[in-house]
Amino acid sequence: MIPGSFSYHRPATVADAVKLLADLGDDARPLAGGHSLVPMMKLRLATPSHLVDLHAVAGLKGIRRDGNSIVIGAMTTQHELLGSDEIGKSLPILHETALLIADPQVRYRGTVGGNVANGDPGNDMPALMLALGASYQLQGLNGARDVRASEFYQGAYFTALEPGELLTSVTIPVPAAGHGYAYEKLKRKVGDYATAAAAVVLTMAGGKVASCTIGLTNLHETPLLAAEAAKAVIGTSLDAASLKKAAQAAEAIMSPAADARGPVEYRKHVGGIMVTRALQRAASRAK
Ligand SMILES: Cc1cc2nc3c(=O)[nH]c(=O)nc-3n(C[C@H](O)[C@H](O)[C@H](O)COP(=O)(O)OP(=O)(O)OC[C@H]3O[C@@H](n4cnc5c(N)ncnc54)[C@H](O)[C@@H]3O)c2cc1C
């Protein structure tokens, strides 16, 4: 339960942080809230020789509107999301999901950047980012690039981040006014990671689903976009048959690990139920 020894670095700018990461190579890791990285270090599942603390880096915090998008700085905490009127108004699904992450202590420290960059299939924010069509800005020695969330996750703890790159912000297009949303998360107890969870963002017109996206958490080694499940409900009034079709289409792409949260078949089954509930609740909120 005691991490190995490491050197601690505290850069003040993104350029300095990126240079440090590039110079120190594979042995260095960015440190954000530390609520995934430090437990991994204590278990010796991560053994970085250098930690590059991002807390003093200027310009990595904050939530701002940029035209029809919301830009969230990587070091913005989950607690700060919950306190933001802009998030409450424009992206209420982020608010709902942040409240389902762990407990207030974790949310005071845990950051949006750390949650989406971590690559743990159990993190809740990545599936939302898929459902919302978000993109991530990655900064390296050779400049910045934008990567869609849908192209970022490549395997468990394996992402599009190149060695030495820092995720600096998340950009999320604001969903249509009157959209419906829901994040349904089954967990064993308060504060736990998801056994299965589903994020739904949809619009309704004339009692029928006009558009829909569905993201899945902890049901595969990466977060999933359940495109066929969403297709199954578009144009329908979410009657029992189309809900069943959507749940089946979502279950077909799930391949969760069998672990302390349950065997594969159970997790897929409850994954389908999360999809059904999220669709129903999102529709009930759509205007
Ligand atoms: C008891 C407990 C319960 C939890 N329950 C949940 C839960 O239910 N749902 C959930 O989603 N999370 C949960 N978490 C995790 C929590 O949300 C973490 O805070 C989050 O996963 C990581 O954010 P962080 O800021 O703490 O990142 P850190 O732990 O500092 O970093 C995580 C990883 O991302 C990398 N990293 C961090 N920031 C950047 C960046 N800007 N650019 C590039 N790489 C970066 C780090 O190098 C590290 O590899 C829980 C944690 C605890 C301790």
Side-chain angles (χ1 to χ4, degrees):
M1 294 305 281
I2 298 173
S5 61
F6 56 86
S7 302
Y8 175 82
H9 308 265
R10 198 172 168 91
T13 65
V14 170
D16 286 349
V18 163
K19 177 142 189 352
L20 266 171
L21 288 169
D23 289 350
L24 297 169
D26 280 353
D27 284 344
R29 293 279 280 273
L31 174 69
H35 273 57
S36 288
L37 183 54
V38 174
M40 297 277 273
M41 289 171 64
K42 285 179 158 187
L43 293 168
R44 306 278 175 129
L45 294 171
T47 51
S49 308
H50 299 273
L51 288 185
V52 178
D53 187 349
L54 304 180
H55 281 89
V57 176
L60 286 183
K61 271 223 180 237
I63 298 164
R64 65 183 169 85
R65 193 168 177 123
D66 180 10
N68 211 24
S69 295
I70 302 291
V71 182
I72 305 174
M75 286 299 286
T76 306
T77 64
Q78 293 148 13
H79 173 74
E80 285 162 346
L81 281 186
L82 289 170
S84 160
D85 290 341
E86 183 66 68
I87 296 295
K89 191 174 62 175
S90 308
L91 291 165
I93 191 167
L94 243 64
H95 193 278
E96 174 162 296
T97 305
L99 264 181
L100 293 171
I101 292 179
D103 50 49
Q105 274 177 306
V106 172
R107 298 196 291 259
Y108 280 133
R109 296 293 298 175
T111 64
V112 173
N115 200 289
V116 300
N118 193 25
D120 181 340
N123 279 136
D124 289 294
M125 290 284 164
L128 284 197
M129 299 306 167
L130 296 183
L132 289 163
S135 59
Y136 304 153
Q137 185 164 80
L138 311 183
Q139 177 89 38
L141 271 186
N142 298 325
R145 62 189 179 116
D146 288 315
V147 175
R148 288 166 187 271
S150 57
E151 286 159 14
F152 185 76
Y153 299 98
Q154 300 174 349
Y157 298 102
F158 189 60
T159 69
L161 273 166
E162 294 290 346
E165 271 186 328
L166 207 57
L167 189 153
T168 52
S169 63
V170 173
T171 299
I172 307 173
V174 175
H179 73 280
Y181 64 92
Y183 190 65
E184 283 286 343
K185 175 174 175 177
L186 178 73
K187 45 191 177 175
R188 295 171 301 177
K189 60 181 176 60
V190 171
D192 194 17
Y193 288 89
T195 298
V200 167
V201 179
L202 54 68
T203 55
M204 303 285 290
K208 299 212 162 138
V209 179
S211 67
C212 178
T213 51
I214 304 173
L216 304 174
T217 298
N218 223 5
L219 290 161
H220 187 72
E221 62 173 334
T222 62
L224 291 173
L225 196 56
E228 289 302 314
K231 244 191 243 167
V233 295
I234 292 175
T236 76
S237 56
L238 284 180
D239 53 284
S242 45
L243 282 170
K244 191 171 170 195
K245 247 173 119 180
Q248 283 171 342
E251 284 176 45
I253 60 166
M254 296 172 192
S255 52
D259 59 17
R261 292 184 176 81
V264 170
E265 283 314 310
Y266 167 74
R267 292 185 64 184
K268 286 172 73 165
H269 176 68
V270 293
I273 293 173
M274 293 304 105
V275 168
T276 307
R277 287 186 187 167
L279 283 166
Q280 287 174 314
R281 205 153 55 81
S284 74
R285 282 169 161 166
K287 296 185 186 101

